[in-house]
Amino acid sequence: MAKVVVLGGGVAGLAASHYIRTLLPSSAVASVCLIEGSLRLGGWMQSVQHDSGVLLEAGPRTLRAAGTAGANTLVLAHDLGLEGKIRSVSYGHPTTMNRMIKVNGALHRLPSSLSTALKKTPPFTKPLLVALLQDLRSEKVCNCDESLYSFVNRRFGREVATYVIDPLARGVFAGNARELSVKSLAKSLHAYEQRHGSVIKGACFDVFTQRSRDSVLTHPMVKKARKEKWAVWSLQEGIETLIKALERDVVDRGVDIRLGHPVNKLSQNGRCLKISFGSNEISADHVISCLPCSQAASVCGNLSKDLAQLLNAIPFATVAVVNLAYDRSDLVTQPAFGYLVPSCEPSKVLGVIFDTCTFPQANKTVLTVMMGGYWFNSLFGTHPSEEKLLSTAIDELRSTLGISDHPSAWRTQVLRACIPQYVVGHTEVVASARRLIDQHKLPVSLAGNSYDGVGVNDAILSAKAAVQNLATTLGIKL
Ligand SMILES: Cc1cc2nc3c(=O)[nH]c(=O)nc-3n(C[C@H](O)[C@H](O)[C@H](O)COP(=O)(O)OP(=O)(O)OC[C@H]3O[C@@H](n4cnc5c(N)ncnc54)[C@H](O)[C@@H]3O)c2cc1C
Ligand SMILES: C=Cc1c2[nH]c(c1C)Cc1[nH]c(c(CCC(=O)O)c1C)Cc1[nH]c(c(C)c1CCC(=O)O)Cc1[nH]c(c(C)c1C=C)C2
């Protein structure tokens, strides 16, 4: 009977604990212990009910419904009994249609349908269709990886790279499209060029030939989401409701949760591992690390210096998040998800989310300004004051949205090293790290958002994959 220890109590660590207890027979796993360094579970997922009654999200606020990873999280929500708490947003809702960018101080809608792609809309000097045709004519370049910006610039032209890909890289990865990897972050686009010589040809081929047979896709919860055309979803009382439900679930299933002592070292003890956290020690037959890779690097240094070096090579971006709430509901005149600021604009701001356009709150406007990212230190220094962050956010809303009211509630937070940066070569770094683990026969799995995707869905799916691999190691057929 194996003893399993999960490191890190973010959504990935909680999901890993849940899957160990639901996918593996209790006859095979004697105990599961989850070790979280801080005093709360959830990692970056944090929903705060402010004294004024308004709900503020510090990190993620919506989850994608599409794809296998999206379907997997929907099934998890169903299994946790959260179906009745889901707040879904279907395609066609203004926040799914209207995503804007700010160029030369003015907001512009990004094309979101075929009809808008046929028209020339500023800041583009040509209809988007012209860029799509450029892809069909562009030469195939055989390569292992390149930056998102260079790939899109080469195949679709400079305007799509500057006004679509650059801001999207800021709005999902808080990163620099000129350094982020196309192979890791837009795997299918890279593969379409390598296999079909063109992104458009590859995408058409996929539409007509590929049908995923993943079992989660046939789950009634996923079918309902498909039928109702859900684009994204969240939960009543905020995204942290998922964390609370996972916590209840794993506690009920007997998982031993230890809070408040960061893991500092893993060391080999025969075929087992010794885990040192605070002044405590525990031994395990297998460890699933759901720590950010920089933390995994520091705790694994003892097991393999090369592994630690690889994991340390993955950089992170810091984001300042300012939530602002106003006591009236009509402050945003253009309903939208929000807007992104491309890196060519002289701005400290990455983007602004119009929270109450997606999920209204009675007589309130709630907006979130995100700042810094890849550029954090050069823009703000290492420790900007709260006043500086708040005034930057308020100035942004005044100059771009014309909001001169003073917010009735606000919250500023610097989320240090919160988003891993999948730079060119990331896929190889992760594959090499996993190869080293296999070569040294280390009973360790790497999960969480540092490796196989930065979103919540990816973090959860990576935890499930780690548990499925553990089943194989233990000789269990799932
Ligand atoms: C501003 C922002 C907005 C985002 N928006 C979205 C969104 O809209 N949709 C979406 O899908 N995703 C979004 N994300 C990404 C999402 O937050 C992450 O994918 C997800 O939270 C990652 O979960 P995780 O468990 O892998 O890691 P984490 O949340 O980083 O959890 C890791 C845990 O490990 C703990 N830990 C660290 N070191 C140690 C140690 N030595 N010992 C023990 N414990 C330790 C930490 O305290 C933490 O609890 C956003 C992220 C940010 C920062
Ligand atoms: C301005 C900064 C940021 C905004 N959101 C994030 C940052 C750094 C972080 C983030 N946002 C999303 C994800 C998850 C991606 C996934 O794999 O599911 C993360 C890590 C969701 C997201 N945000 C935008 C898009 C296009 C997506 C993908 C999923 C979806 O379609 O909803 C765009 C976007 N992000 C921000 C704004 C203001 C914005 C567009 C207007 C904020």
Side-chain angles (χ1 to χ4, degrees), residues 220-292:
M221 181 74 214
V222 176
K223 285 188 172 166
K224 174 181 156 95
R226 292 271 153 96
K227 194 166 161 225
E228 294 176 8
K229 297 191 167 46
W230 294 5
V232 292
W233 59 281
S234 181
L235 291 157
Q236 281 166 20
E237 288 128 57
I239 204 89
E240 202 179 330
T241 300
L242 179 63
I243 297 297
K244 302 271 184 258
L246 273 168
E247 178 181 2
R248 269 196 308 276
D249 173 87
V250 300
V251 167
D252 286 352
R253 294 178 191 278
V255 173
D256 174 17
I257 299 181
R258 311 279 186 96
L259 293 179
H261 299 290
V263 178
N264 34 48
K265 195 167 75 183
L266 298 184
S267 33
Q268 228 152 359
N269 187 6
R271 294 174 74 179
C272 295
L273 284 178
K274 191 170 78 187
I275 300 112
S276 314
F277 58 112
S279 53
N280 312 300
E281 274 181 11
I282 187 173
S283 99
D285 299 290
H286 196 92
V287 165
I288 299 183
S289 168
C290 297
L291 304 175

Side-chain angles (χ1 to χ4, degrees), residues 5 27 47 50 66 118 149 194 248 262 273 287 302 309 361 365 423:
V5 171
S27 56
S47 316
H50 190 270
L118 293 172
Y149 189 94
Q194 297 307 308
R248 269 196 308 276
L273 284 178
V287 165
N302 236 20
Q309 206 172 6
Q361 300 191 41
T365 299
V423 295

Side-chain angles (χ1 to χ4, degrees), residues 109-317:
R109 262 182 70 187
L110 283 172
S112 59
S113 64
L114 190 62
S115 63
T116 49
L118 293 172
K119 284 190 220 129
K120 190 181 87 177
T121 47
F124 300 92
T125 58
K126 291 172 248 161
L128 201 61
L129 192 71
V130 176
L132 302 184
L133 294 175
Q134 177 175 334
D135 169 66
L136 289 171
R137 288 194 308 263
S138 297
E139 289 283 302
K140 167 180 170 180
V141 173
C142 293
N143 64 21
C144 296
D145 199 0
E146 70 183 294
S147 80
L148 271 174
Y149 189 94
S150 124
F151 178 89
V152 172
N153 188 28
R154 193 161 58 66
R155 300 215 59 90
F156 296 95
R158 191 190 59 82
E159 288 193 346
V160 178
T162 305
Y163 298 133
V164 181
I165 287 306
D166 170 290
L168 269 184
R170 286 159 66 91
V172 176
F173 312 106
N176 183 348
R178 288 174 169 79
E179 294 189 7
L180 295 173
S181 149
V182 67
K183 191 173 175 185
S184 309
L185 300 172
K187 202 181 191 154
S188 45
L189 301 196
H190 180 260
Y192 290 153
E193 179 182 37
Q194 297 307 308
R195 280 195 224 126
H196 303 275
S198 143
V199 172
I200 303 295
K201 280 188 204 158
C204 293
F205 182 83
D206 253 18
V207 167
F208 292 112
T209 58
Q210 291 225 330
R211 286 282 171 271
S212 173
R213 261 175 256 120
D214 206 301
S215 66
V216 286
L217 297 174
T218 57
H219 190 282
M221 181 74 214
V222 176
K223 285 188 172 166
K224 174 181 156 95
R226 292 271 153 96
K227 194 166 161 225
E228 294 176 8
K229 297 191 167 46
W230 294 5
V232 292
W233 59 281
S234 181
L235 291 157
Q236 281 166 20
E237 288 128 57
I239 204 89
E240 202 179 330
T241 300
L242 179 63
I243 297 297
K244 302 271 184 258
L246 273 168
E247 178 181 2
R248 269 196 308 276
D249 173 87
V250 300
V251 167
D252 286 352
R253 294 178 191 278
V255 173
D256 174 17
I257 299 181
R258 311 279 186 96
L259 293 179
H261 299 290
V263 178
N264 34 48
K265 195 167 75 183
L266 298 184
S267 33
Q268 228 152 359
N269 187 6
R271 294 174 74 179
C272 295
L273 284 178
K274 191 170 78 187
I275 300 112
S276 314
F277 58 112
S279 53
N280 312 300
E281 274 181 11
I282 187 173
S283 99
D285 299 290
H286 196 92
V287 165
I288 299 183
S289 168
C290 297
L291 304 175
C293 58
S294 51
Q295 287 295 312
S298 88
V299 306
C300 284
N302 236 20
L303 301 178
S304 160
K305 291 233 157 18
D306 293 342
L307 176 61
Q309 206 172 6
L310 279 170
L311 297 179
N312 248 333
I314 300 170
F316 279 80

Side-chain angles (χ1 to χ4, degrees), residues 76-97:
L76 175 65
H78 172 270
D79 293 348
L80 294 170
L82 291 174
E83 193 172 340
K85 291 203 161 204
I86 289 180
R87 309 174 82 187
S88 59
V89 180
S90 295
Y91 289 104
H93 186 275
T95 57
T96 66
M97 304 298 288

